[in-house]
Every structure is written in C-alpha cells, then in structure tokens.
Amino acid sequence: MDRTLAGDLARLPELLQAARDVAAREVAGLAGRPVAASGPAPGRAPLPAEGVGGEGALACFAERWAPGFSGSAGPRYLGFVTGGATPASLAGDWLTSAFDQNLSGAGGSRAEELERETVAWLRELFGLGPEHSGAFVTGATMSNTVGLAIGREWAGERLGVDVSRQGAAALGPLDVLSGSPHSSVAKAMSVLGLGRDRLRRVSLLPGGREAVDVAALEAALAERAGRPVIVVANAGTVNTVDFDDLRAIAALRERYDFWLHVDGAFGAFAALSPRYAALVDGLDAADSVCVDLHKWLNVPYDAAVQFTRRRDLQVAVFHNASPYLGLPAGEPEFLHLTPENSRRLRALPAWFSLVAYGRTGHREIVERNVALARRLGAGIEALPGLSLLAPVRLNVVCFTLAEDPSEERVARLARAVAASGEAFVTPTVYDGVPGLRAAFSNWRTSEADTDRVLRVLAASL
Ligand SMILES: Cc1ncc(COP(=O)(O)O)c(C=O)c1O
C-alpha cells in the first residue's frame, strides 16, 4: 500500500474527526457567512504527483476552496428552490459514504430494503396509494425523465410498438401537452428522443395564472384523439407556485387516452399540511409523479424520488439484463428501474430525516416556509420601490421593481442583494415582465431572516 494511504488508514479516526470539525464549524456558522461567493476563484493547481494525505487535503480544501463556496444551505439563500440539509439528514449522508453500499441491487446487503422502506414512507407522506411504486434518483430532472420514459413505453404499448427494442423512431411523433412545464421536461424529451419541439404548450387560465386551462387541454386532447399523448401536469410552478387542477385533468381520462405525469418537484409538499393539501388533490391518479427531495425535504444534494403505477413498463425501459446481474423476476432490483446501474444509498439521508422529525416535523417546515413567504410578500407590497408580480400562493415570492422593471435594472438589483452577502434571490421573467423570485424552502429560515432579506432589498434599491 502507498505509504501515505497506509498512514491515513492508521489515522482514520483522526482524519474523520478533523473533517467533522470543519463540517461542524461550517454548518454552525452558516447563518453568519456570506450567502453568495464573491471574488475570483483560485487558479487551477497542477495534478499532485505525491499526495499530502487526507489531513493535508483537508487543509488545502479549507484554504483554497471552502471560502468561495456559497451559503446556499443557509437560511437566507432564496434562489431557485434550494433546500438545506436537516441535521439528521446530514448525519445520514455521512453514513451513506461511510457504508458505501451499491444500491444497484441487494448484493448481499439489506440496504435495498431500507430504500424500499423509505420510498413507502414518502408515498404515504405525499398521499399516494399502494399502486405507486418508487425509486430514488438524483433530482427532479431525472425523475421527470424516468416518468416520461415510462410514458413513452406506454404510448408504444397503445400502438403495438416495443419502444425499448425498436426505438423512439418506431413510435412516430408523440406530443407532450403541458401548461407551464419546467424546463427539465423539454430536456427530458430531448434525452428520450421525443424531441423538444413536440412539447405543446396549452393555454393557461386567465388572470395571470400559470395553471393550465383544463378546457383548452381537453380541446388539445380531442384534436389528437386516436393517438396516444403524454400530459405533464404541474403541481407547483417555479415562478408563482401555481397548481394545475389534477383532479379535473385526471377525469379527462374517461374520454381521452393519455399518460398523466405530474411534476410535483416541490409543490407535492403541499400534501404535508392539511391547510394546503387540497392543492394536490388528485395526485394519486397520476401514472407517474416526480418529487424532489433536495428541495423541500431538506436532504443534501442529490436526491429525488419518482413514482409510477406501471412498474412493468418501467422495467421494460430500464432493465439491465446480463447473466452476472440477474434477470428481473419478482420484485425488481433498482438497477432495472432507473437510469443508473450502480447507485449510492441516496435514501439514507431521507430515512434519517423522516425518522428524526417525522411527518409533523416536516409539516412544520412547510408551513413555516409558507408563512415566511407571505411575510416577505407583505413587506414587499409595503415597500414603495417594489411590487408583487403575483399573489404569494405558497412558498415563492415573485416580485419586481415598481418602476421601469427592465431586465438590466432587475438583474442589477439581484447582483446588489448577492453582493451584500446577506441574501440571494434569482431573476426570472413572469408574464413577459423581468422580475425576481425569493423561494422559501430551507428548514432553518426564521422571521428574523425574512426581515433581514426585506431590509437588504430596501437598501439595494
Ligand atoms: C417544478 C420543477 N421541476 C423540475 C425541477 C428540476 O429539479 P432538479 O434541479 O432537481 O433536477 C425543478 C427545479 O427547480 C422544479 O422546480
């Protein structure tokens, strides 16, 4: 064994303790450190010929790279939809690496059963029934991709084409209908050979809504009657967290044949609170469902879950048959369900957080975040220089400059907020107007944080 490597083996507890100390300092200080990185990145170092050992690497990381990392896991990073990592999920994530299980299948481990247990808990948390099976993937983009891949296979089944064998071309054009799809849906369509251009936007409800007009969706389905279609319904749009009427969309299946995929990347968390659960009424009727976990469950990147009612078609798409891997029989192993073959035990951080805080603890995070979004929204309304672009429906505040909200002036405001080190919001365009989004999804954000964000916004005008 290399001498430095052997030295690290001998001093493994000390190395892990040193890493723990760095991590504990970082996490404890998150609320106080700059929210966004500033200044130039360090220059690239040459590939080390001789290693410096684990503690040397830790010192090098702490000096060269850590100071330039963002405080995105902290309470005032409101860009995109960014969750942090609950204490228990962080511990679970460390142990994922320490145990280093390969979740392609059982492989002599019980870890596979832990993933199944976690998926079953999540299914219950989001109000899905036992017909939905699920698996962990890296994020909502991958969850949407898997859902659409199963939908593509379903379309093949309807047309008598085995897409997994004959390819997407054998299917002919397959339209995907959606009101306000997340950009990852188009990306998934590109990956799956469906083509980005087959994403057909359906009209939205009037009054600046981002929810689909179900009558317009019905008309689009009627136009395509006789051809299978995929409908992507949205449960939580990124700008205004609007929700399609899932129950009404699902009811259209009595008259039209389509695969219903629901992108509930973060909106599905409405199900955790009796106050907001009606927003996702009908979710269980979906053929496939996407939920991100590194957003509102507050587990570390990268984790999402995908659910489907048609595991048989999922296996048709993703099975990875080889004499050494085994053939899917009975309960399929995970390598037959997702794009990856080897997989980390991505479920463990979620398992830890669910055991540690339960349904009640996670519901509290959701409800507090919504209350804080409304608090910021009210504060913005009261500021003369800013105005809301849409009502605060759930956990995102979409706003802009009260006067002359040009792209350049709005971007300047976002840069000034980031430069303060106090908060981070991200630009968007809503209904043709450049604006900013402040998304609340971090487990530790408080009223005091929210008021600090408001003060920074006011000072940056
Ligand atoms: C509604 C929705 N779908 C999909 C995604 C993609 O998520 P990820 O970055 O985890 O792939 C996002 C990310 O913000 C989202 O908000």
Side-chain angles (χ1 to χ4, degrees):
M1 191 185 283
D2 172 87
R3 275 186 36 212
T4 319
L5 187 57
D8 268 4
L9 177 58
R11 289 180 44 78
L12 193 57
E14 290 83 352
L15 172 59
L16 294 183
Q17 184 61 44
R20 192 213 77 97
D21 292 346
V22 170
R25 265 198 309 280
E26 166 62 21
V27 177
L30 251 182
R33 92 207 273 314
V35 172
S38 58
R44 299 253 172 101
L47 169 70
E50 300 294 328
V52 291
E55 286 184 69
L58 185 63
C60 181
F61 166 73
E63 186 202 323
R64 288 186 63 221
W65 290 108
F69 282 11
S70 77
S72 58
R76 292 183 311 287
Y77 191 96
L78 307 180
F80 314 101
V81 182
T82 308
T86 60
S89 76
L90 179 56
D93 201 60
W94 283 356
L95 294 178
T96 299
S97 295
F99 281 87
D100 196 22
Q101 304 288 286
N102 184 353
L103 261 284
S104 58
S109 170
R110 294 280 173 265
E112 192 188 44
E113 282 309 315
L114 184 145
E115 178 163 340
R116 291 196 211 288
E117 176 171 89
T118 315
V119 167
W121 289 349
L122 291 166
R123 181 172 64 199
E124 197 180 326
L125 196 68
F126 298 117
L128 301 175
E131 298 79 18
H132 275 281
S133 61
F136 271 73
V137 287
T138 50
T141 300
M142 199 43 82
S143 182
N144 280 333
T145 305
V146 172
L148 294 190
I150 306 170
R152 186 188 61 178
E153 202 66 21
W154 166 87
E157 187 183 69
R158 285 295 193 265
L159 295 172
V161 174
D162 182 342
V163 181
S164 111
R165 293 192 176 280
Q166 296 167 252
L171 196 58
L174 174 62
D175 283 348
V176 176
L177 307 176
S178 190
S180 300
H182 186 264
S183 51
S184 57
V185 170
K187 178 171 173 171
M189 291 174 67
S190 163
V191 170
L192 295 171
L194 300 177
R196 293 175 192 260
D197 289 353
R198 306 262 18 136
L199 178 56
R200 306 297 164 148
R201 302 267 183 155
V202 181
S203 308
L204 305 176
L205 290 174
R209 296 283 305 274
E210 290 187 307
V212 76
D213 177 344
V214 178
L217 178 62
E218 173 157 19
L221 288 165
E223 260 174 45
R224 292 163 178 81
R227 283 282 305 170
V229 170
I230 296 179
V231 171
V232 173
N234 302 292
T237 56
V238 279
N239 275 338
T240 67
V241 203
D242 212 340
F243 287 77
D244 288 349
D245 184 340
L246 302 181
R247 181 72 63 206
I249 294 174
L252 293 175
R253 280 195 304 200
E254 286 163 20
R255 295 191 292 285
Y256 307 95
D257 200 21
F258 60 92
W259 179 265
L260 176 57
H261 174 80
V262 177
D263 180 353
F266 64 98
F269 282 83
L272 272 64
S273 166
R275 284 184 219 160
Y276 311 118
L279 294 168
V280 285
D281 187 33
L283 185 66
D284 183 47
D287 298 298
S288 51
V289 177
C290 151
V291 189
D292 230 337
L293 302 177
H294 51 224
K295 291 186 166 68
W296 230 349
L297 195 71
N298 278 269
V299 298
Y301 289 97
D302 42 18
V305 63
Q306 62 72 219
F307 296 102
T308 184
R309 290 170 163 271
R310 291 295 306 270
R311 179 171 265 187
D312 59 325
L313 295 179
Q314 184 169 16
V315 172
V317 179
F318 292 105
H319 73 265
N320 187 0
S322 144
Y324 95 100
L325 294 171
L327 291 164
E331 178 91 348
E333 295 185 307
F334 286 110
L335 85 160
H336 301 303
L337 296 174
T338 64
E340 304 87 3
N341 189 61
S342 294
R343 303 161 75 245
R344 72 193 256 106
L345 180 49
R346 194 166 275 117
L348 192 56
W351 185 93
F352 259 76
S353 208
L354 291 171
V355 171
Y357 314 117
R359 188 195 281 272
T360 313
H362 281 281
R363 169 184 163 181
E364 190 278 331
I365 296 172
V366 168
E367 291 180 346
R368 174 161 39 90
N369 284 160
V370 176
L372 295 175
R374 291 190 175 156
R375 185 180 180 92
L376 183 69
I380 284 174
E381 282 267 82
L383 272 182
L386 295 175
S387 66
L388 290 182
L389 277 170
V392 180
R393 290 205 179 83
L394 206 65
N395 61 326
V396 175
V397 187
C398 190
F399 62 100
T400 194
L401 291 161
E403 275 170 34
D404 185 20
S406 66
E407 201 179 318
E408 196 210 312
R409 292 190 71 226
V410 169
R412 204 183 309 142
L413 175 58
R415 281 197 301 274
V417 171
S420 74
E422 286 279 297
F424 196 80
V425 293
T426 40
T428 189
V429 175
Y430 171 70
D431 208 14
V433 182
L436 296 170
R437 294 170 60 260
F440 289 77
S441 40
N442 188 287
W443 64 280
R444 53 201 279 181
T445 312
S446 65
E447 287 190 352
D449 287 311
T450 309
D451 295 347
R452 237 165 116 176
V453 172
L454 188 65
R455 281 198 296 278
V456 172
L457 282 169
S460 308
L461 283 171

